[in-house]
Every structure is written in C-alpha cells, then in structure tokens.
Amino acid sequence: MKTFIEVRGARQNNLKNIDVNIPRDKLTVITGVSGSGKSSLAFDVIYGEGQRRFLDSLSTYAKSRMSQVKKPEVDFVFGLSPVIAIEQKKGILNPRSTVGTMTDIYDFLRLLFASAGEASCPLCDHPIPIRSSLQMIEHIQKLPEGTELEVLAPLYKLYGETYETTFDEIRAKGFRTLLIDGERTNLTDHVELEEEADYRIEIVVDKVIVNPDIYKVLTKTIENSLSLVGEGFIRFEIIAVPDGTTFDAEKFYDQFACPEHHLTMGELQPHYFSFNDNDSACRTCGGLGTFMRAEARFLVRDKNKSILAGAIEPKLLSKSSKGTWIWSLVKCMAKHYGFDLNVPLKDMPAPVQDKLFYGTKGEKFPFIADESSSKTQFRHDGKMMTFAGFVHIINWWYKLFLKRQGSQGEADFYKKMMIEHTCPDCEGKKLKPQRLCVRIGGADIHEMSVMPLSELKHFLEHLTFSDTKARVGEQITKEILTRLDLLLDIGLHYLSLGRRSDTISGGEAQRIRLSTQISSGLMGMLYVLDEPSIGLHARDSDRMINTLKKLRDLGNTIIVVEHDMDTILSADHIIEIGPGPGISGGQLIAAGLAEQLAASPESVTGAYLSGARMIGIPSERRPLTGKAIQIRGARANNLQHVDVDIPLGVLACITGVSGSGKSTLVNEVMCKQLFSIFHDARIKPGEHDSLMGHEHLTGIITIDQSPIGRSTRSNPATYVGLFDRIRELYAEEAEAAGSRLTKNDFSFNQKNGGRCENCQGEGIVVTQLMFMPDVEAICPVCKGTRFTDEVLEIKLKDKHIADVLAMSIEEAVGFFEGQTYLQHKLKVLHQLGLGYLRLGQSSTTLSGGEAQRIKLAYELGKLKRGSHNLYVLDEPTTGLHLSDIQKLIDCLQQLVDAGHSVLVIEHHLDLIKVADYVIDMGPDGGSNGGQVVATGTPEEVARVERSLTGKFLARSLEPHQRESDVKDGQLTH
C-alpha cells in the first residue's frame, strides 16, 4: 500500500511543473503567500483529479446526468483515495436552508416529534391522545350497532383573508355544511360573519352509522378529515343511539379525545413538521418565517400635497381614477369623520392619518354614492362599511400577486412599498400553528430549533419518555446527541438549528460540513479543506485542530490550505508554495516539519515561524478625536441592550469569540441604520433604541468578500475603473491612425462592435458533451484574443488591447508609465499585494480575499479630500499570509491618515494589535455573549481579566515588549 500521494508534473494555473509527495493518513498543511498556487495544488490538482477519476468510473448513463470535471494539467497523481472537499464558501443562499437542515439534525428532530410527540388540544391545551386511523375505527366499532355519529374537522380562518375567502376554499374541496359556534350552517347560502370576531367553526365531513361494514367508508372519511381540512385534528360527535340502548358518551370520549372539545389527533408523519412541505408550512409566508409588509411612509408621494392633489401613491389613488372603489370609500369616510381631502397630508390630524393608512379597525360608516359612482357602487348605497386602510390594501394586493405570480414590473412596485418583517401569522415559526400543538418535554419543535446547541443538548439529555415511546424516543435522541456533540466540539455551541444558512459565515459553514463528515465515521478518505480557521477566535483554534486530528485518527488523509500559525505548527507535514504570488510563485519552496521551514532561508513562512520577521506595533496610537457613532440599547439577536461608542477618525477593531455579537452589532444594527440614513430608508436595522453621530460622516462603505462581478467578463480592470481609460487611449490611437473605431469598439461587452462575435468576447468556445466534461477550446476566429482583427491592428507601445488585458498588474505599472490616472490605480492594487493578477482576469476565478482587496483598492483609488467615510471590513485577513497582512494594514492606515474612519471585525491578533482602539464583545458566544467586555487600546484590553481576547492579545504583545526591552538595554533575567 502506498504511503504517499505522489503528484508529478503539476502545471495547473501558475504551478511550474512541480513534483510533490504528501504523506497518507497524516495532517498536511499547504501554505505560502496569497496567490502562490496553494489552492491550485490542493483543489484543482489533487481534489480535481480525485473527483474526475471517481466520475470516470461511473456508467455512461450516470455520467450523462451529471456535470463532468475537466482533467487538471498534471502528468499523474498516484495514491489517491475517494476525495471530499470542504471549502470556505458561504452557506447555501436558499433562505429555507438552516443549520438543522445542513446537518440533518432537523430531520431527526422531526422524526422524534412524529414518533414520540405528545399532542394537546388547540382550543384548550389539554393533553389529547394521538391515534392512527385503525385505532379510531376500532374505538368507533365498540359503539352499539346503529349509533349515528358525525365526523367533524376544525376549520381555521386564513390569516389576512375574509371569512368568505376561507369558505370559498372549503366549497372548492367539496364540503357544504358547517357548525359555527354549534349552529349548523349551509355553505350554499351566503354566510355573513363579523370579520374581527373569532368563531369556533367545524366542517361536517360525513355522517356515519355504526355497522360491521363501516371500515372502508370510515377510513376514507378520516383521511379526508385529517388531510384535507382538519390539519391533523378530528372530532367524532355522537348524535343518536338506537332506541332502548343505554350508552355512556363520556366513557366513549375518556382517554380518546379532549374531555371538553372532543378533539383527537391523527397519526403523525415526519413531514408534518417540515417547513419545506406545502401542507405543513405557514400559509402566509410559505415556511420562510418572514413576509413583506407595506410601510405607510413609502405610500406617501408628497406629504405637502393633499389627498386630492396626489399625496398618496397613484396606484392607490390616482386623479384619473376617482370613481374607483377605494376613492369612493375614502370620500365617504371623509364625510363621516369630518376631514377635508384638500388639506395637505402633513396637516391632517394623527387619528385621521391612522384611519387612512391602517383602516377603521371595525368601525363602520355609511356608503353614500355620488355622481362619480358606478352602477355596482350604487347597489351599496346606504350600507354600513369598514375601510381596511392603504397599508392593508397593499398587503392584500401583494398576496394576490404571489398567487398569480405577476410580472417583474409589479414585483418592483411592491419592493418599493414594502419591507421584510417577521411573518405576522406564524411569528417567524415557519409552521402552521396546529403543528406546534405537539410537544416533547413541554417544548414544541420551534422552541427546540431556536435553543442554542449547548442548551438543546442539555434539554435532550434530561428528556424522559412514556413507557410506550421510550425505546424509539431514546434511540432517536441518541442519534441527535451524537451529532450535537460534534458541533459543540468545534465551538459552534452558540448556533441554533433554526439559524438560516445565509446568515452564517464561510468558516462556520465549513466547520458544520466538517462535523457532518466526522459523524459519517468513514476511513481511508482524502479530505481537502480551505482555511478552516476562518472566523475562529484564538480560544477556539485548539478545538478546530483537535477535530482535524480526530478525522485523521479515523484513518483519513487531511490536506489543509492554511495561513494560521497554530494549525501550521500542529501539522504532521508542511508544504510551502512560492516564493511569490502569481507568475512569481508556483514552485515548491520547502517541505517537512515546522523546524525545517524555520531553517529554510527561502521560506517566507519559516521567517515568521522563527521570529525573524513579524508584524510590528505602531510606535504610538492615534488619540481619540471625541467624535463617535453612539449606539444605545442594541438588542438584536443575542445583544443584551448594548450601549457602545465606536470612535471615528481611527482604526478600530471589534473583537470577541465566535457568536459573541460582533457581526450583529456592526452589520445588523450600525451598518443597516447608517445605510437607511444615507441610502435607502427601506432597510430595516436590528432592534436598538438610537444611533447618534452619523452627522460626522459623509457616507458608509462596506468592503466584503462577495464577488466583484458574476459575469465571466467582469475583471479587476473593469471594476477598479482602469479599462475605460485604457479604451480611451486605444480610441485616440485609432483616431490618429485614421480608423473609424471608437471607445466602444474596444469593449468585449459591446454587441456588434469590435469584439469577436463567434465567442461573444469570451475568447473560448465551450462545447457541451453528453457524458464527458465540457470541452473549452480557444476560439478559432479570434485565437483567444476576444477582439476582431481590425481592433487588434491598433497598438499602443507595440501592444494591442488583448496583450494589455493579459498583462499582470505589476507589468502594467511599467507599461503605463506617464499615465497619472492609471498609475495611481495600478499602484494601489500592487501595494495591496495584487500585482500578480492579470488586468483581464475573470472575476469568477478570484478568491473572496482577492475580491475584498480589489474593492479596497477601488476605494483607496478614489479618495476625496474633505469627505469622511466610515469603512467597514469583516475579517479582511481571510486568505492572507502574514506578509500580505502587513500590506493590508498599511492600506487601512492610509485610509485613516486620509481623514476617514476604519472599523474592522477581526479575530487575527496581528491586525488587532496594530489598532488604535479595540471593542471586545463577549464574554462568550450565544446567550452568554452580547455584552461589551472591554474597550480601549490593545494594551488596555490585554489587562482586562474578563476579556478572552485580552488574554491572547497579551501573549501577542509580549514579543514586541521583549524586543523593545532589548533595544533599550532593559532585558531582565
């Protein structure tokens, strides 16, 4: 059996025909500066070849139904095992995906509730038994022959709809008789009910007479009751017994139904608790937990105008449609309540505005038809009416729009009028309320889903089940606890099963997938991971490393692309690719243990391991200016009424363990509130009392790791704004040469211009094959240049535009010497360590860290005097080697020196220690976090005993203190 994975002749991307040996059943770290070729080796070569060989082993039929993988540029890879990649990409963007569905724990939880749940009456909360159809029929057959009974199902009104709409739905299902508060009503007649009142309504599903042949009829009746209308609940009501028969009805209901309401629950299935199932999901939000609702302020066009002059959104009240039903109701309301429709909206009394926007809330007024009324409206003349209000009318229109799946134009209209809120029907619980009548240990499935994982584990460990359900309940609980332990082991105790996947970080998503792999218990596998330390506080690094070792000890080979020094020091084998990024990299610099790297003069990582190089601390911190963003009473998610001042004019860091509330405070509360002030009032910030100090700012700019463009044609040159100026230069050359080409002809996005239309400016032609990988061939017309021959004839310094796009940023700095605008932009990119990127490199090939630095370069390239922006970055050190972190720090300091403020959410101690001000959140994650633990300079935070960040920060500051002592001749023994 091979003891190594042997890579021979790897030439993928910038790899320079390298040969590498990776020990099997060991933890190997591949490191090197950003862009050196680490991911090319680990993912493109090793993972790509492993996946390709697996797919190649499948049948032709199977291969035709899945996308195939292109063979990487490598001579051969020996010793491969089945391979699994666990990347640092963000969680699934589907809003229905949660931590529970990602880990499959929610599926086990649904199974637990279906198998061992205990139901309660939806009307009085009294415990009721759960019975299968067979058990119900057997119980009914014990009644005297000839007994008549009705099978009834409770009816629940649809949220936000009229009773008539609900009745229409019941009619469509074929039911005609109702009991409304015990009174029999026929749905063939018009039924008038008070919309604001609550009634106990039941559908009469069938009437049966007990006899020996009742089984088939009753089975179908019970099935219709439970699935079509009753939402799992059913009632059997005895209406007559044969003459001469004495029968105790209470005995029939005892231990079979709710003693007061006689309701029984049908047998449960796991899908009964799935918010992704149409029958179980909340009818209003469809299982999302959120719903769009109109806001009164967005319905006002001009508060200085009157209603008649067009103060309100024209689609509600337009001058050209004054005979509509809404106009007629508003005019009748004005007459009844005595307000003038010619008065400016801002001058109308608050109670009147409330009635206009939110309705009369059940109060009635007479409808009086006038000359503008239609024939239909005249029929209602003299009737007492209510008005729903503009807000509720928009909400109602939106529900109709969702039902009929309207046009994009309509969708845009509603987006302007509405804001996403917690669903008003299910209150964010995602399920129909009847599903929450089933509990285990006093908690329903939603309550378990929102518990932090550590709390959920404690709850499940102390669960007890009845004798009949103990065996199955304990078995399922054991499976859930096993999976919870794995999540807790890697420091995710603060998450909950109901947490949406699109709200967790890339590092958290990667660790969740890692725990799922450990739970599979497979051995002999090859796992390739991309920076699993992302988003981890120094306190939790050991947990991650121990998890990787546990996976290795099962008998697996682990390959990790990583910059974190703790992970590197814990590795069994280290491979460094370098020496530089891009074309300067792609070589094998060193391989072996940490000591061997530290002793290698060529190893950049080794220099940091040995202490020969380190990120220095500024000689002095910037003093506080007195200006700050003042946040008061922040209580979104786990924030515990936080009051904090975020200083402006300095480099500030928000720190804390994972789940302590950093992102909630900065992104959900501060950023959203500032964005709503500066950009879009529809943005709804996290709950807080107030935010002050925004008057000190010109604007807020967030620099995240999302792609700089989704199109393959998007590239660094177009994003930063270089390409426009480059095209202008070529257009000037064309004009000088007497050509008719314009600036637009030098764009590969312009149709019928100068781009090659055979490949539409892509440079390659993709041919899709049925059961083989898609073949990418260089376009035979333009030979990969992306432009027509006429465009390529125009040259600048003997280079046509395709040559320029193929240049690295570093080369372009020299090429465009003398071009002040281009030089400024290019030097900023180069200064950030991005000199290895090509100007025309597709944005789809860039990592999150590279995309973030390009955005930072864009901001640095357009700094204006006199403005004061707040720049917010979330873990900008992601994907950066220590040598690149120094370049990042220099650029952030440059932003502050230019008169701006920089706020960074960060775990990396080397960035935290150079900050002017640190705000540490904690003391722990989840419900134990959400407080400000320490504030001040890094040295001040390091002295706070309660601060977990402070403890590790103190260690990080020590080497510099010792270095300072040596220089001052103060070394003590």
Side-chain angles (χ1 to χ4, degrees), residues 552-686:
R552 175 202 64 188
D553 295 342
L554 285 172
N556 299 298
T557 304
I558 315 296
I559 298 175
V560 182
V561 176
E562 188 57 272
H563 295 294
D564 177 61
M565 285 298 168
D566 289 335
T567 311
I568 292 171
L569 289 167
S570 302
D572 302 315
H573 188 72
I574 307 166
I575 295 170
E576 182 170 7
I577 306 295
I583 56 173
S584 304
Q587 302 172 45
L588 180 63
I589 299 301
L593 296 171
E595 295 80 6
Q596 292 168 284
L597 260 72
S600 171
E602 293 86 16
S603 171
V604 179
T605 306
Y608 283 96
L609 285 169
S610 65
R613 290 178 67 177
M614 62 174 63
I615 292 174
I617 296 176
S619 56
E620 58 182 42
R621 314 278 181 189
R622 293 182 184 86
L624 300 185
T625 62
K627 296 177 181 177
I629 296 294
Q630 301 170 343
I631 300 171
R632 297 292 178 265
R635 54 190 177 277
N637 294 340
N638 67 330
L639 295 180
Q640 299 181 20
H641 289 267
V642 168
D643 295 339
V644 65
D645 291 352
I646 298 172
L648 299 176
V650 296
L651 171 56
C653 269
I654 301 264
T655 63
V657 297
S658 302
S660 59
K662 307 181 297 296
S663 296
T664 299
L665 178 66
V666 176
N667 296 328
E668 290 299 311
V669 177
M670 187 196 76
C671 286
K672 285 190 175 180
Q673 181 62 55
L674 290 175
F675 268 105
S676 71
I677 293 168
F678 289 115
H679 302 295
D680 188 349
R682 288 189 298 275
I683 294 173
K684 188 181 179 185

Side-chain angles (χ1 to χ4, degrees), residues 297-315:
R297 55 197 168 127
F298 301 135
L299 304 183
V300 178
R301 278 299 177 91
D302 188 348
K303 62 183 179 183
N304 296 311
K305 290 183 178 179
S306 67
I307 298 285
L308 287 170
I312 303 297
E313 165 61 40
K315 282 199 177 183

